[in-house]
Amino acid sequence: MVSQAIQPKRNRIIQWLAADTMEGIRRQRALLGYLFIAPSIIGLLVFIIGPMIATFGLSFYKWNVFRPPEFVNFENFSRLFSDPRVFTAFRNTFLLVVMTVVMLEIIALALALSVHRLASRPLSYFFRTSYFLPVLLSGAAVAVTLGYMFHRDFGVINYYLGLLGIPKISWLTDSNVVLWSVSLTTVWRNLGFTFIIYLGGVSSLPTEILEAAQVDGAYGWRRLKSVVLPLLSPTILFATVTDIIKMLQFFDEPFIMTRGGPGDASRTVVMLMYENAFGNLAFGYGSAIALVLFAVILLVTGIQFALSRRWVFYS
Amino acid sequence: MSTKISRREMLKLTAASAVAMSTGLVSSTKIFAAPPGQETITLRFQENEQYYADVVEAFKQQFPNVNIEYVTVTGIDHAEVASKILAQLAAGTPVDIGYAATEATQLYAGEGLALPLTQRVLDSKEELAEYFADVSPVLTETMMYEGDLYQLPRDFNAANMYFNTELLAKAGLEMPPAEWTKDDFVEYARAMTGIDGSYGYGWTNRLWGSWTPWFFVNNTNFLVEERAPGGEWMWETFYADDPKAQGRGGGWRWPAPQANNPEMLEALEFVVSLTRDGLTPEVGMGTGETLTGFFTSGKLGMTPAGGFWSGNLYNQGMPKDAFDVQFWPAWKSQRHQLGVGAAWILNGSQHEDEAWEFVKFTCKKEIMEICGLFNPVTLTTPVRRSMNNEARYSVTGPANWQVFYATLDERPDTGPIPAPVFSIEMTDIYTRFTGLAVNGDMTPQEALDGMQAELEALYARQ
């Protein structure tokens, strides 16, 4: 009886969808569209929106896995804003972002412009591959190897500096130097990716504008400043936005090379979040840190886009 | 009768198999693969197949209905491994049998994650009598918590002093005697420093090893130590005739911090002075492996390590007579620090009985002998006294291998590294302030005051 009642209704839906009218065709197209984007939407819900909602909820609880979560209202946030280690971690992260992103963008752009000018195709391929190779290496492996290289007493970096008469530098144990070591490692590992973005941007610059600039007498620095950089500005915006977001989530290199030390000198926000959640089993507090970091990333990205109206040239 | 299957029948069979698989009927078909009346079960075991393949093979011959699924968890140290195990627990995929060293024993026991084994041990006392007779009470006590036993010890490592014998010879020195002192150590370090760019003594910043052995021999600890009541069942049942078991309790407790006491300060000032005087290279975060390269290449004269390091050095190509080992030098005492590792069973596992059988099985001597951690190369020190013999160390060295177990038998005051339930957070505080003292950002007094303040706050939060 039930199936007999459902059958006509199902038939009506199928007829409505498969109707051979303009409306029906539109419905079929829409349905097909939804079917195509369904995997992305489901992935977004399950792996991004879902965990974000869970993190938001968890930030109001005290939970250590073993015992049921206990609602603590805003306690995690009040602890966060009075915890000096959180401010240290944010300061370190911002310093690392500034140091790393500035170096990344300048070096990657310079390399992209140089490689683009190479007339020899094999040489161009060689440099593209060489610069990109470190991106393919495991962050952990890179950090361990460079950790040995940066060792004050046994590392090869200080050995060669010593040959130049430069005294030993405590790359990983001096609070004033350690961020530079971490930053240099990160720049080396991520340079290839930013380089490829810039190379793509440089390769697609309109040749007629560049040639016109040349005819008008714009060469060298003048051509770079007044023609190339404005034309590249959308690429620069994209590269800086993605690099800043990535670097605000700094983790691998300092975690493996220094474990955040000495003291908290190289501890980043994501390290602090990880250590609180998974080390100290303070999942609520870790979630609160994650949420504040998310807000900061959102704010920084928003500011970048707002400021981009003044300097990014779309045409 | 024809045995041919038509295409249509084949398709039907395939479809039926697919439906059966998707509806879970396959799990019930496993029952028929096992001996009648026995269901095949799977134990999730936190170990590396490379080390346990032979053990599991032997177990399956005796228990064909039990499958072992390896769950490999790696980490820089035991605290990080514990973090990952807890993350798996949070994700709803816990192991049935985990592995924990001292760093995480009380964490699992205190939070009710590990199953207390007391009653099971007593029920199997005839079977386990031979095992406990072969295992030092120092190790057994370390695996107890509030009167109950949570793990049957498998391996241990006490921090002894390793020597690069080639550097020693170049310095015109011989191996020191067992009763050597802190002052002798300084002389040795001084003599071995500067030979082809070498340093006399190296260590890394962590909980085990690190500078922990120095405050142990200075008769102190950064947490107050006391014994939990209980545990008589163990000592009376298995160690009644062992004088080294007298006075033991139901495990260790660390009820309060005392990081800035005068003896701690004295010990920290001593290790800082080694760096200041150029006897110790840069001290960073790391483990025994971090120093292996420097030691094997003749850049370090001495370093703290346990039995695990001999196999490690051998695997790195160091000849067995190129290194040796001695007790830690005496200061106010010669009390050593150690860590013990063993399997634990998930409290609430659906297969507690099978897991217990597996754990017991892996502690049999003939089974431990085939375990990849002890055979063919000894990668960690076996807890059985009888397994620490000349044959074991004849391939890898060191010549003075007796030191490993003598640290327990001849110095029974040897105790575990401090590792209460909140040991992961405690270790972070300990290493953070240690790093600030050895790099000169803080004086030893400032570092220990800071450590004490944060430890007090940590205790207050519990």
Side-chain angles (χ1 to χ4, degrees):
Chain A
M1 284 296 285
V2 174
S3 64
Q4 279 174 354
I6 290 170
Q7 197 64 27
K9 195 176 177 184
R10 191 178 292 163
N11 286 342
R12 276 204 302 277
I13 293 170
I14 291 168
Q15 278 169 8
W16 179 74
L17 274 173
D20 197 13
T21 60
M22 286 304 285
E23 280 289 302
I25 291 167
R26 258 204 298 274
R27 278 195 290 269
Q28 286 160 32
R29 281 187 172 181
L31 181 67
L32 203 62
Y34 284 125
L35 281 174
F36 275 122
I37 61 167
S40 301
I41 298 287
I42 292 168
L44 196 73
L45 285 171
V46 172
F47 296 110
I48 296 176
I49 309 286
M52 277 173 69
I53 293 169
T55 304
F56 179 77
L58 211 52
S59 64
F60 297 98
Y61 285 83
K62 187 178 178 183
W63 184 49
N64 75 346
V65 182
F66 301 107
R67 297 174 210 136
E70 176 194 342
F71 183 72
V72 291
N73 220 328
F74 288 97
E75 194 183 288
N76 288 324
F77 291 95
S78 59
R79 181 182 161 194
L80 187 152
F81 289 113
S82 59
D83 185 348
R85 295 187 68 205
V86 172
F87 287 97
T88 306
F90 268 104
R91 190 203 63 188
N92 293 340
T93 306
F94 281 126
L95 284 173
L96 279 169
V97 167
V98 172
M99 288 153 69
T100 308
V101 173
V102 168
M103 279 194 278
L104 257 181
E105 307 311 315
I106 293 173
I107 299 171
L109 181 59
L111 289 175
L113 290 168
S114 309
V115 170
H116 181 66
R117 285 167 65 98
L118 282 174
S120 161
R121 193 166 276 234
L123 211 57
S124 171
Y125 283 135
F126 170 76
F127 281 113
R128 287 180 201 199
T129 313
S130 304
Y131 293 138
F132 196 74
L133 268 179
V135 178
L136 306 176
L137 299 174
S138 133
V142 167
V144 168
T145 309
L146 288 179
Y148 281 113
M149 290 171 69
F150 277 123
H151 196 282
R152 186 190 66 189
D153 299 301
F154 303 127
V156 289
I157 295 173
N158 273 354
Y159 171 77
Y160 285 111
L161 291 178
L163 294 181
L164 299 172
I166 299 171
K168 285 179 179 175
I169 299 170
S170 300
W171 294 101
L172 301 176
T173 54
D174 184 331
S175 301
N176 300 315
V177 179
V178 68
L179 286 181
W180 283 105
S181 317
V182 173
S183 178
L184 287 170
T185 305
T186 312
V187 168
W188 179 76
R189 194 165 84 87
N190 291 280
L191 187 65
F193 191 75
T194 312
F195 161 76
I196 289 291
I197 292 172
Y198 280 126
L199 194 63
V202 172
S203 305
S204 58
L205 288 179
T207 47
E208 64 273 15
I209 298 179
L210 296 174
E211 282 165 5
Q214 236 165 340
V215 169
D216 288 345
Y219 289 97
W221 171 246
R222 181 67 194 273
R223 192 174 85 129
L224 178 71
K225 185 177 160 243
S226 305
V227 183
V228 175
L229 287 181
L231 287 173
L232 264 181
S233 56
T235 310
I236 296 172
L237 176 68
F238 174 77
T240 45
V241 166
T242 51
D243 280 340
I244 286 175
I245 291 173
K246 198 159 59 176
M247 299 311 157
L248 280 168
Q249 298 170 38
F250 242 118
F251 182 80
D252 294 12
E253 286 85 357
F255 185 72
I256 295 163
M257 289 170 76
T258 64
R259 303 285 279 188
D264 282 326
S266 60
R267 202 170 308 275
T268 63
V269 181
V270 177
M271 276 181 74
L272 197 68
M273 177 194 76
Y274 170 82
E275 286 162 359
N276 271 289
F278 295 98
N280 307 342
L281 303 180
F283 281 92
Y285 188 52
S287 298
I289 296 173
L291 220 58
V292 170
L293 177 63
F294 172 71
V296 167
I297 292 175
L298 209 63
L299 183 71
V300 170
T301 310
I303 291 171
Q304 277 181 280
F305 275 107
L307 291 177
S308 72
R309 288 185 201 138
R310 296 185 185 178
W311 64 274
V312 177
F313 174 73
Y314 294 103
S315 75
Chain B
M1 192 178 148
S2 170
T3 53
K4 282 186 181 174
I5 300 173
S6 69
R7 184 173 166 272
R8 186 177 293 270
E9 283 169 335
M10 185 67 203
L11 284 171
K12 276 184 186 172
L13 204 63
T14 309
S17 305
V19 171
M21 281 174 79
S22 62
T23 55
L25 286 175
V26 164
S27 59
S28 59
T29 60
K30 283 181 183 171
I31 293 169
F32 302 114
Q38 286 186 315
E39 187 184 351
T40 298
I41 59 125
T42 298
L43 294 176
R44 282 168 54 78
F45 177 41
Q46 182 205 331
E47 253 311 336
N48 193 329
E49 186 173 6
Q50 181 191 350
Y51 302 134
Y52 267 81
D54 292 343
V55 172
V56 167
E57 192 55 42
F59 181 73
K60 283 173 93 169
Q61 283 175 12
Q62 202 168 326
F63 298 89
N65 61 321
V66 181
N67 284 328
I68 302 291
E69 180 189 327
Y70 296 96
V71 179
T72 307
V73 182
T74 56
I76 289 175
D77 49 31
H78 291 293
E80 197 188 329
V81 170
S83 299
K84 290 180 178 176
I85 287 293
L86 295 172
Q88 289 190 358
L89 180 74
T93 54
V95 292
D96 293 296
I97 305 168
Y99 171 84
T102 303
E103 285 87 339
T105 291
Q106 295 210 357
L107 167 66
Y108 295 142
E111 293 290 0
L113 189 64
L115 183 74
L117 303 177
T118 305
Q119 194 52 51
R120 289 176 186 272
V121 168
L122 287 171
D123 292 344
S124 306
K125 65 180 177 187
E126 284 78 20
E127 197 181 341
L128 290 171
E130 177 274 335
Y131 166 78
F132 283 113
D134 205 14
V135 174
S136 163
V138 176
L139 305 174
T140 307
E141 188 182 34
T142 304
M143 300 274 89
M144 295 176 84
Y145 177 69
E146 298 298 323
D148 280 314
L149 184 75
Y150 284 82
Q151 296 168 273
L152 296 179
R154 181 192 73 182
D155 61 283
F156 79 98
N157 285 287
N160 298 125
M161 190 70 83
Y162 271 68
F163 288 80
N164 183 311
T165 50
E166 287 176 8
L167 265 184
L168 206 59
K170 282 181 186 173
L173 297 168
E174 292 189 346
M175 282 293 290
E179 290 75 26
W180 68 316
T181 65
K182 184 198 75 154
D183 295 338
D184 297 332
F185 161 82
V186 175
E187 291 309 311
Y188 270 74
R190 217 177 283 284
M192 284 193 278
T193 296
I195 302 171
D196 303 329
S198 64
Y199 287 83
Y201 173 69
W203 58 283
T204 51
N205 186 5
R206 59 196 296 219
L207 180 60
W208 189 97
S210 187
W211 66 288
T212 310
W214 289 114
F215 60 73
F216 262 62
V217 291
N218 205 27
N219 261 348
T220 191
N221 199 331
F222 66 93
L223 302 183
V224 174
E225 280 182 6
E226 65 180 36
R227 285 190 157 96
E232 296 84 3
W233 65 272
M234 169 59 74
W235 314 123
E236 287 165 9
T237 310
F238 296 105
Y239 292 96
D241 301 326
D242 188 342
K244 291 189 285 291
Q246 282 174 11
R248 298 199 182 271
W252 290 90
R253 279 177 177 170
W254 295 277
Q258 51 167 5
N260 54 354
N261 74 30
E263 290 77 23
M264 284 292 296
L265 178 62
E266 193 177 17
L268 186 56
E269 281 175 340
F270 172 65
V271 291
V272 168
S273 75
L274 295 175
T275 307
R276 193 183 55 230
D277 296 347
L279 306 181
T280 296
E282 177 180 57
V283 179
M285 297 295 295
T287 62
E289 281 74 21
T290 313
L291 297 177
T292 309
F294 304 142
F295 190 82
T296 53
S297 57
K299 295 294 178 196
L300 284 181
M302 295 178 282
T303 190
F308 73 96
W309 224 42
S310 58
N312 196 348
L313 295 176
Y314 173 80
N315 283 339
Q316 298 293 320
M318 200 167 190
K320 68 174 183 177
D321 54 355
F323 65 94
D324 208 347
V325 66
Q326 187 51 279
F327 289 111
W328 201 259
W331 193 347
K332 291 193 178 87
S333 76
Q334 206 170 14
R335 183 179 187 230
H336 285 59
Q337 57 108 89
L338 91 166
V340 190
W344 54 273
I345 298 171
L346 179 71
N347 197 357
S349 161
Q350 288 183 320
H351 311 299
E352 283 177 2
D353 293 340
E354 290 83 357
W356 169 238
E357 287 302 328
F358 182 74
V359 168
K360 264 193 307 180
F361 183 83
T362 58
C363 290
K364 291 178 179 176
K365 189 177 176 188
E366 65 273 22
I367 299 302
M368 284 182 75
E369 291 280 12
I370 61 169
C371 176
L373 289 165
F374 308 121
N375 180 32
V377 175
T378 304
L379 298 174
T380 184
T381 325
V383 291
R384 283 177 174 271
R385 192 179 287 106
S386 63
M387 283 175 70
N388 283 274
N389 51 39
E390 190 155 9
R392 172 163 304 281
Y393 296 100
S394 62
V395 179
T396 61
N400 202 15
W401 55 268
Q402 294 93 337
V403 161
F404 298 138
Y405 219 89
T407 303
L408 309 174
D409 281 346
E410 294 174 18
R411 282 151 182 79
D413 61 345
T414 294
I417 45 174
V421 174
F422 41 88
S423 70
I424 298 177
E425 202 167 355
M426 175 211 76
T427 304
D428 172 57
I429 296 169
Y430 174 72
T431 53
R432 210 151 25 88
F433 283 99
T434 296
L436 291 169
V438 291
N439 83 340
D441 278 359
M442 285 184 172
T443 64
Q445 182 72 64
E446 287 167 347
L448 292 177
D449 287 345
M451 190 188 291
Q452 175 70 11
E454 285 208 16
L455 286 170
E456 282 174 5
L458 172 63
Y459 270 81
R461 279 202 298 275
Q462 303 309 312

